[in-house]
Amino acid sequence: MTMFAGLSTSTKEGRLHAEPTTDGKATGHALAGMVEGLKTQEQDRAIHELSFLERLSLLVDQQWNWRENQALERRLKAAKLKGPACVEDIDYRATRGLDKSVVRALAKDSAWVRNHENIFVIGPCGVGKSFLASALAQKACRDGHSVLYLRAAALLRELALARADGSLRHFLARLSRIDVLVIDDWAMAPLNESERREVWEICEDRYQTRSTVLTSQLPVSRWHEQIGDPTIADGILDRLVHNAHRIEMRGESMRKNRNPPRDPSPE
């Protein structure tokens, strides 16, 4: 028998057969984590002090961690979050009105997602609404939930395109399956008739089955007039406001703080 990289060959009854090696079989069956663990064990002399079952247990743990990391990577890629936001990087020192206990309670194990609760992040431009919403959504990803981030304007464009090419039903069904839908810059402009009916359908599909995160510069009391039609506005807000956590932020734009003006004095 002759060994090659990743394959072994043997002759039987005059025929040549190619058989995968252990590494090749394991990798082919999505056991890459276990393969890496095995390679690590081979380089560790102390590993021979452990029993077979102890070594196998370590390999199983390695494989489980590898699969979890791969799944998390896929969820984060699909989420399309705005920047590398995470709850560990939230700045509570800035006078933005953030209640650390409230944010940490939401972030702890993302129970708000399991309970199908919504989050509103409200405040003026530049105070970090998008970062906070993305950080909570990123934590939900880490806790095993599917997420999608969209700016409100982009969502309305996607709805218009889907309406035009006949894929609206498919697009709405896709949104209904996402555990956490983040809509950034909500209620920035009035909705037209088609938009408000489609937003109503999104809210109806997700009501008490999924979670929605909205960021807005306008207070909730102004959302009704931005939606337009009183009956549809009542239906949308009833489904959004029910079971929602409100985080109201204040203060000056953090972008100004990051980019202080230069000294105007002559050189």
Side-chain angles (χ1 to χ4, degrees), residues 100-251:
K100 183 186 296 187
S101 62
V102 170
V103 175
R104 286 187 171 178
L106 290 170
K108 184 178 179 181
D109 57 2
S110 301
W112 60 278
V113 183
R114 295 199 308 274
N115 297 332
H116 314 310
E117 297 166 351
N118 302 324
I119 296 178
F120 302 157
V121 186
I122 303 165
C125 179
V127 295
K129 300 184 301 296
S130 299
F131 184 94
L132 178 58
S134 294
L136 291 171
Q138 193 256 15
K139 182 57 168 59
C141 270
R142 285 154 56 186
D143 289 330
H145 303 289
S146 59
V147 172
L148 178 63
Y149 169 96
L150 284 169
R151 291 183 65 250
L155 172 61
L156 297 178
R157 284 196 300 271
E158 291 286 344
L159 288 169
L161 289 171
R163 193 187 319 125
D165 66 15
S167 63
L168 183 60
R169 289 289 96 196
H170 175 77
F171 183 59
L172 292 174
R174 175 192 166 208
L175 293 180
S176 72
R177 293 190 294 269
I178 296 167
D179 295 330
V180 179
L181 177 62
V182 181
I183 304 177
D184 203 3
D185 290 331
W186 162 252
M188 289 287 286
L191 301 180
N192 62 37
E193 183 177 354
S194 297
E195 290 169 346
R196 55 178 164 256
R197 289 187 179 280
E198 287 153 7
V199 169
W200 181 87
E201 288 199 49
I202 292 171
C203 295
E204 170 66 15
D205 289 342
R206 301 180 61 78
Y207 180 57
Q208 293 188 329
T209 62
R210 298 288 188 268
S211 295
T212 304
V213 180
L214 301 177
T215 77
S216 181
Q217 294 185 40
L218 296 181
V220 177
S221 60
R222 296 275 309 277
W223 294 1
H224 197 281
E225 64 185 81
Q226 293 294 80
I227 294 170
D229 183 281
T231 302
I232 296 178
D234 286 343
I236 290 173
L237 292 179
D238 181 62
R239 287 158 178 77
L240 287 175
V241 175
H242 176 73
N243 239 12
H245 301 271
R246 297 193 194 188
I247 301 176
E248 298 189 7
M249 304 177 69
R250 60 177 182 269

Side-chain angles (χ1 to χ4, degrees), residues 12-33:
K12 183 177 181 181
E13 297 179 355
R15 291 177 297 176
L16 185 67
H17 299 272
E19 299 174 354
T21 63
T22 301
D23 282 6
K25 292 177 182 178
T27 304
H29 288 80
L31 296 177

Side-chain angles (χ1 to χ4, degrees), residues 126 252-261:
E252 295 185 357
S253 172
M254 296 182 70
R255 298 186 186 98
K256 294 180 182 178
N257 297 331
R258 286 197 298 266
N259 300 289

